[in-house]
């Protein structure tokens, strides 16, 4: 969910000096069993994330104060479901059963959403803007090290659904009308930041193929991307979060 204020930390849809896997198409790159397994994990995690986002936005629409707001969230939920369908179809196209690919990530994603259930409309908007954007930042970072075909798909499903600008507009207006809610929402956003980063780190740590790709453990995979680079990646994600907080009118 990228906006002008919500620039992603890595937007390498066309790396200037692509090497290794990043310079190959899927047909070539998928000859590596380790890389294929990493992509299956990545697409499975993304697919379930998009399906959960659809469910959550549809649920959040019930908290909307106006019919226009409800319709806006319904439109965004529809966009998330379309992203899910693209990922599901891609998994099927590369001979991977979509449900099996998503299953390892369902509990983690569901736990995150249970632990960060919003109590009102504004908290729901902040969660969508902050939490979803952190996840998008993480996957964009990963995408810069994927084969050209998979990278195009991943970046495509991370396209802004419009929720970013919508959330910024509504939250800033609410704070202007009642400055007292700013402190509560800032605390909420900081909690979301911690939970979302923990979720991203678990995705890397718990899936061997994906973590191996990120630390450059396979020839040609994520060339030059070592453990220090992974730390730098999370630093960039944190900095992007600070910019989003400012866009919302909240202290980081």
């Amino acid at each position: 969910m990228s906006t002008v204020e919500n620039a992603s930390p890595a937007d390498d849809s066309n790396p200037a000096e692509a090497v290794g896997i990043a310079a190959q198409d899927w047909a070539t790159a998928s000859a590596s069993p380790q890389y294929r397994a990493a992509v299956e994990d990545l697409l499975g995690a993304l697919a379930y994330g998009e399906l959960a986002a659809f469910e959550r936005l549809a649920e959040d629409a019930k908290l909307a104060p106006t019919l226009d707001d409800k319709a806006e969230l319904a439109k965004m939920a529809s966009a998330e479901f379309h992203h899910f369908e693209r990922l599901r179809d891609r998994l099927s196209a590369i001979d991977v059963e979509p449900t099996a690919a998503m299953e390892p990530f369902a509990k983690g994603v569901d736990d995150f959403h249970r632990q960060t259930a919003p109590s009102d409309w504004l908290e729901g908007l902040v969660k969508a803007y902050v939490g979803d954007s952190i996840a998008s930042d993480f996957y964009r970072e990963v995408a810069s090290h994927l084969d050209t075909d998979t990278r195009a798909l991943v970046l495509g499903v991370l396209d802004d659904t419009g929720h970013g600008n919508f959330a910024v507009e509504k939250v800033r207006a609410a704070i202007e009308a009642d400055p007292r809610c700013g402190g509560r929402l800032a605390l909420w956003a900081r909690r979301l930041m911690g939970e979302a980063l923990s979720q991203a780190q678990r995705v890397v740590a718990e899936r061997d193929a994906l973590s191996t790709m990120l630390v450059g453990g396979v020839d040609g995979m994520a060339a030059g991307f070592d453990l220090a680079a992974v730390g730098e990646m999370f630093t960039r994600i944190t900095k992007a979060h600070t910019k989003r907080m400012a866009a919302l009118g909240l202290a980081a």
Side-chain angles (χ1 to χ4, degrees), residues 8-244:
S8 61
D11 198 4
D12 303 4
S13 57
N14 184 26
E17 300 180 0
V19 295
I21 292 292
Q24 300 173 9
D25 62 11
W26 169 252
T28 303
S30 61
S32 164
Q34 185 84 45
Y35 179 72
R36 171 179 276 275
V39 170
E40 291 175 9
D41 276 351
L42 179 66
L43 298 185
L46 265 173
Y48 191 76
E50 294 290 345
L51 182 59
F54 158 73
E55 292 177 320
R56 194 195 68 248
L57 284 170
E59 187 68 21
D60 287 353
K62 297 177 182 178
L63 301 173
T66 70
L67 287 177
D68 285 342
D69 292 335
K70 188 184 293 289
E72 188 68 23
L73 284 195
K75 181 175 71 174
M76 293 171 193
S78 176
E80 299 288 8
F81 191 77
H82 178 61
H83 291 165
F84 160 73
E85 290 180 311
R86 290 183 62 188
L87 291 159
R88 179 198 61 194
D89 293 347
R90 177 60 178 169
L91 283 163
S92 295
I94 63 173
D95 298 321
V96 178
E97 206 287 308
T99 300
M102 291 188 291
E103 188 64 37
F105 306 98
K107 183 179 186 303
V109 173
D110 290 346
D111 286 348
F112 169 77
H113 287 306
R114 276 194 295 270
Q115 292 161 5
T116 58
S119 63
D120 60 23
W121 163 250
L122 290 175
E123 286 190 2
L125 289 179
V126 171
K127 178 180 175 180
Y129 183 58
V130 172
D132 289 1
S133 294
I134 291 170
S136 291
D137 286 349
F138 170 68
Y139 288 119
R140 284 177 185 276
E141 291 274 1
V142 176
S144 66
H145 303 278
L146 297 171
D147 67 89
T148 55
D149 298 316
T150 305
R151 181 165 65 244
L153 171 65
V154 169
L155 293 176
V157 300
L158 294 177
D159 277 349
D160 184 17
T161 61
H163 206 148
N165 287 327
F166 179 74
V168 168
E169 176 187 339
K170 294 293 182 180
V171 171
R172 290 186 74 95
I175 293 173
E176 184 176 344
D178 181 9
R180 294 173 299 176
C181 73
R184 171 175 68 87
L185 293 177
L187 287 172
W188 171 244
R190 285 196 285 274
R191 178 185 167 194
L192 290 169
M193 173 65 176
E195 295 285 354
L197 279 182
S198 294
Q199 173 65 19
Q201 290 166 343
R202 282 194 295 270
V203 168
V204 174
E206 294 176 1
R207 304 300 294 178
D208 289 343
L210 189 55
S211 61
T212 299
M213 183 185 75
L214 284 175
V215 299
V218 175
D219 289 344
M221 291 173 60
F225 202 162
D226 56 18
L227 286 172
V230 173
E232 292 168 2
M233 174 185 73
F234 282 110
T235 296
R236 288 192 295 273
I237 292 173
T238 301
K239 289 181 178 178
H241 167 73
T242 300
K243 291 182 179 179
R244 286 190 204 98

